[in-house]
Amino acid sequence: ERQVSQEAERERQRELPPKVEAAVPHLHDALRLLIKDGTFKPGGASPFIPLFTFGGHKWSKALFSTRDFAETIKSGSSTGDFLRPVNWILSVQAHRVLVVLSPHEVNLCLPLISKSKHVYLHVYTPRVNRTMKTTEDLRFFTIPELPASPDLLPFIPSLMLQVNLWAGQLYLKDFATYQQLCRVLGLIGAEAGPQSWDSDGFVKPEDRVEGMKEECIMRQSPVTFLKELFSLRRKGIGYEPTHIGKILAVKPLEKKDFDS
């Protein structure tokens, strides 16, 4: 007799997000005004809203997006499968703010931006693999052309730490950036000092010392929020071996982790 073994067949089915109606792109007059004469008035009916629109944490008050960037579906701001990627950033030197724009706004405003004396448009993409070059200094490509002076936009580096998180950047440019990110987020990292921290690496305000005590404004751990954000950005693709993956898993990084 011949014994037949039964094998279970498995067929993988891709689960797509539910169908929704796309939002109608809209260019607000306030954005044109910002580009033309540098007038920037967030709040109220303004098209400029905080970049971090969910999470319940204190983020920089100098980071904004337009409503057209944030609202991709008709039901309102999109924080799930319809989260828009970050590729166009407007810097406003007089107000020391960064504003993330939608592709629609960039297409319509490009002639105005190229002639503006108040704003710069920066091309940006998050670094999601080790071999990519970072664009977080916002000097990769700008309109109009950015002067060579490194002191022209001194507020950019500290703000880009948080923009990188929102955009889903997985790799940090160097060890010093890693240390600063941990201080800003209130997470135990490469610096000695805190004697007590939670299981997710968050250092409570009363336990902070030195640089973290001055730079971190977080009152509660941002780790859960960041894990949710990165899972949305990665759309199911794992990121555990990356710099951000290790930080959120409370695995300290060393200088050798940044060697190219």
Side-chain angles (χ1 to χ4, degrees):
E1 288 186 15
R2 173 182 269 174
Q3 187 173 358
V4 179
S5 61
Q6 295 182 350
E7 294 185 3
E9 261 187 42
R10 291 184 180 180
E11 183 177 350
R12 180 175 294 180
Q13 294 183 344
R14 184 182 177 191
E15 184 178 357
L16 298 175
K19 289 184 178 181
V20 295
E21 193 172 354
V24 178
H26 175 67
L27 176 61
H28 201 284
D29 289 338
L31 178 57
R32 288 195 183 97
L33 198 60
L34 170 61
I35 297 169
K36 286 182 178 180
D37 63 15
T39 301
F40 181 70
K41 295 181 179 179
S46 167
F48 307 113
I49 60 176
L51 178 63
F52 286 79
T53 54
F54 69 104
H57 301 283
K58 290 185 177 180
W59 303 96
S60 174
K61 295 181 180 179
L63 291 176
F64 295 87
S65 76
T66 60
R67 293 186 188 276
D68 193 63
F69 171 85
E71 298 174 359
T72 58
I73 56 178
K74 282 198 171 180
S75 60
S77 296
S78 309
T79 56
D81 295 299
F82 306 99
L83 196 62
R84 198 191 296 272
V86 179
N87 293 123
W88 303 98
I89 301 176
L90 202 69
S91 63
V92 188
Q93 184 177 8
H95 299 279
R96 302 176 68 87
V97 299
L98 297 179
V99 183
V100 181
L101 304 183
S102 70
H104 174 76
E105 292 168 321
V106 173
N107 285 336
L108 294 182
C109 293
L110 204 53
L112 288 176
I113 294 173
S114 63
K115 299 175 183 178
S116 177
K117 296 181 180 180
H118 304 279
V119 302
Y120 290 96
L121 179 66
H122 308 264
V123 174
Y124 167 83
T125 187
R127 187 183 175 203
V128 294
N129 63 61
R130 189 181 290 273
T131 58
M132 286 180 65
K133 290 186 177 180
T134 180
T135 60
E136 63 192 87
D137 62 356
L138 298 187
R139 290 181 174 271
F140 176 71
F141 183 78
T142 64
I143 301 173
E145 185 178 355
L146 196 65
S149 172
D151 300 325
L152 181 64
L153 300 171
F155 59 92
I156 282 180
S158 60
L159 296 182
M160 286 306 297
L161 278 175
Q162 296 184 30
V163 173
N164 289 337
L165 293 175
W166 181 255
Q169 178 156 298
L170 298 177
Y171 288 91
L172 309 179
K173 65 178 180 179
D174 53 35
F175 188 71
T177 302
Y178 161 63
Q179 291 179 307
Q180 185 181 6
L181 180 63
C182 288
R183 291 196 299 268
V184 169
L185 295 178
L187 300 180
I188 188 69
E191 292 184 332
Q195 301 298 317
S196 175
W197 56 86
D198 294 342
S199 60
D200 62 359
F202 182 68
V203 181
K204 294 180 179 178
E206 60 270 21
D207 297 322
R208 295 170 190 163
V209 296
E210 300 177 355
M212 184 183 294
K213 192 172 184 178
E214 298 174 359
E215 295 183 49
C216 182
I217 60 175
M218 299 287 178
R219 309 299 299 179
Q220 56 183 340
S221 174
V223 172
T224 301
F225 161 69
L226 290 174
K227 286 181 177 180
E228 178 186 355
L229 175 60
F230 276 91
S231 68
L232 293 174
R233 287 296 189 192
R234 299 302 295 160
K235 297 187 182 300
I237 302 175
Y239 61 95
E240 290 78 9
T242 68
H243 293 161
I244 291 297
K246 291 180 179 179
I247 290 172
L248 297 182
V250 204
K251 296 179 180 179
L253 299 177
E254 302 177 358
K255 289 185 178 180
K256 64 181 181 180
D257 293 314
F258 299 88
D259 295 337
S260 54

